[in-house]
Amino acid sequence: MSKPAFQDMALRVALDRDVARTSDGYDKRAQEYASRLTGTRLDKTQVRGLESLACTTDKVSDITDWLKLRVGRDSGRDRWAKDGVGRDLLSEFDGLRNDAQKIVAALSKTYSLDTDQERQVHLRLCREFLKHLAAHFEYLQAEHRR
Amino acid sequence: MNDLEYRLMRKQQIAAWSDRWQSEAARFADGHRDLLPRRITNAQLYGLGNVVRSARRYADVERFIKHQAAKAERAGRLDVQGYWNDLETALGKLRGEAQVLLKNIPLPVEADSKQALDALHRELAGLYVQHLIAHSLYSTTGKDRERQ
């Protein structure tokens, strides 16, 4: 294996490790959001919809635009706009950028990184957060129904 | 650069641009917040979104915006006319952004550079409008309700 190819693979492994480690730290916060969302009229398809979008898009702004639209359209304030849950979630996504910055700053000491790396890590962290959120939401909803 | 490499690079550059420019579109929406949602209605914004999505050339978007501005002027709604004029200027400036992006993404040899520039300009305008609509609706959540 050539040296650049080895470096590239090592970077991928390091990135996966750091994203996974950071993601584990999101579990509790995501559970709190899931708990707040169970108090709204949202059902699992809407929460899964956001998670699916996050997994398929290549832009963080697609995720936040989606959520802003849902908050904006919620005139009854009983879904994404209820008690400011959508707004708080948007701030949460924004805050994940700091984690992305930390990951990229640490890795840049060892590896040469793409200028777009921080944005891509931010996107991955948003996906991770939503993965936890959607799982907790479905679990809590099932618990409520019992 | 082969066609697949070009497409991948273009996609990534556009995604990065879109994320960078979201705050700029939000600033535009915030700057015209007093017109939302009564003077500039959600229906008008959705109409703009539909036009941008279906436009084949950037000129189609420009024509729609000019038409909205002219309609507002005839109705004596100068603030609304101002909104559409400002939007025309903001979207028009994205041609410069498209030019900068194209410099970073060398076109495949057989591509028509004029056509590529117009296509990219239209795409950037679409993303800007997507951010604009989302932020406009978001920032006016419950505004009507509060007034009632």
Side-chain angles (χ1 to χ4, degrees):
Chain A
M1 189 185 282
S2 68
K3 201 175 172 191
F6 180 78
Q7 279 281 311
D8 189 44
M9 192 181 279
L11 171 62
R12 281 174 196 230
V13 171
L15 262 174
D16 286 350
R17 180 201 58 207
D18 289 355
V19 167
R21 192 180 289 156
T22 310
S23 173
D24 282 346
Y26 294 160
D27 187 60
K28 186 103 179 82
R29 254 157 46 218
Q31 190 176 3
E32 284 163 12
Y33 278 105
S35 173
R36 288 174 67 184
L37 288 175
T38 51
T40 68
R41 289 187 61 206
L42 287 169
D43 60 33
K44 72 174 181 185
T45 52
Q46 286 152 308
V47 179
R48 282 278 176 210
L50 178 56
E51 189 204 5
S52 304
L53 170 80
C55 289
T56 52
T57 185
D58 56 353
K59 307 179 198 83
V60 177
S61 56
D62 277 349
I63 303 172
T64 49
D65 280 347
W66 189 97
L67 192 50
K68 281 180 177 180
L69 269 181
R70 268 42 181 205
V71 172
R73 285 175 184 162
D74 185 10
S75 53
R77 292 193 172 188
D78 50 7
R79 290 183 168 85
W80 291 104
K82 188 174 181 186
D83 300 328
V85 65
R87 279 179 195 268
D88 293 344
L89 205 44
L90 280 163
S91 304
E92 189 70 45
F93 290 145
D94 199 37
L96 300 187
R97 188 179 290 118
N98 296 332
D99 293 339
Q101 273 168 356
K102 281 180 200 155
I103 290 174
V104 169
L107 289 175
S108 66
K109 289 174 187 158
T110 318
Y111 304 96
S112 112
L113 299 176
D114 191 302
T115 51
D116 194 36
Q117 199 74 65
E118 187 184 304
R119 192 187 69 82
Q120 289 176 29
V121 172
H122 184 200
L123 177 62
R124 285 182 69 176
L125 294 180
C126 290
R127 287 175 180 160
E128 290 296 320
F129 193 93
L130 283 167
K131 227 156 56 177
H132 293 300
L133 176 64
H136 280 301
F137 180 74
E138 271 191 52
Y139 178 75
L140 289 172
Q141 267 213 327
E143 286 282 294
H144 274 270
R145 268 189 237 115
R146 267 186 220 145
Chain B
M1 181 182 285
N2 67 35
D3 190 51
L4 186 61
E5 279 174 326
Y6 167 73
R7 280 167 193 250
L8 279 172
M9 199 172 168
R10 186 180 188 277
K11 199 168 179 295
Q12 192 188 340
Q13 296 257 353
I14 291 173
W17 182 91
S18 180
D19 280 355
R20 265 198 321 274
W21 273 70
Q22 187 184 34
S23 55
E24 193 64 40
R27 255 194 297 280
F28 182 95
D30 287 337
H32 297 82
R33 207 179 161 182
D34 50 327
L35 298 175
L36 305 168
R38 289 289 171 89
R39 309 285 285 166
I40 298 290
T41 63
N42 291 352
Q44 279 175 298
L45 290 173
Y46 288 134
L48 170 68
N50 289 336
V51 167
V52 172
R53 264 192 300 277
S54 60
R56 286 166 167 260
R57 295 168 308 148
Y58 178 73
D60 297 336
V61 179
E62 202 175 45
R63 194 177 311 121
F64 173 82
I65 295 175
K66 279 184 193 295
H67 178 65
Q68 295 297 316
K71 254 183 14 183
E73 189 185 12
R74 281 197 299 275
R77 303 168 74 177
L78 298 184
D79 50 354
V80 176
Q81 185 197 5
Y83 178 92
W84 292 110
N85 286 341
D86 291 349
L87 187 61
E88 188 192 344
T89 308
L91 294 185
K93 279 182 187 163
L94 299 184
R95 196 160 198 93
E97 288 295 313
Q99 277 164 340
V100 172
L101 281 183
L102 275 185
K103 272 187 200 152
N104 299 331
I105 328 165
L107 286 170
V109 268
E110 68 276 12
D112 177 339
S113 61
K114 210 174 162 188
Q115 221 170 33
L117 176 64
D118 191 70
L120 187 54
H121 185 191
R122 198 192 56 219
E123 200 168 337
L124 299 187
L127 292 165
Y128 188 97
V129 167
Q130 176 193 309
H131 302 322
L132 176 69
I133 295 173
H135 195 78
S136 299
L137 263 75
Y138 174 70
S139 63
T140 54
T141 318
K143 212 173 170 181
D144 270 344
R145 209 186 215 203
E146 281 161 21
R147 279 181 182 160
Q148 283 161 16

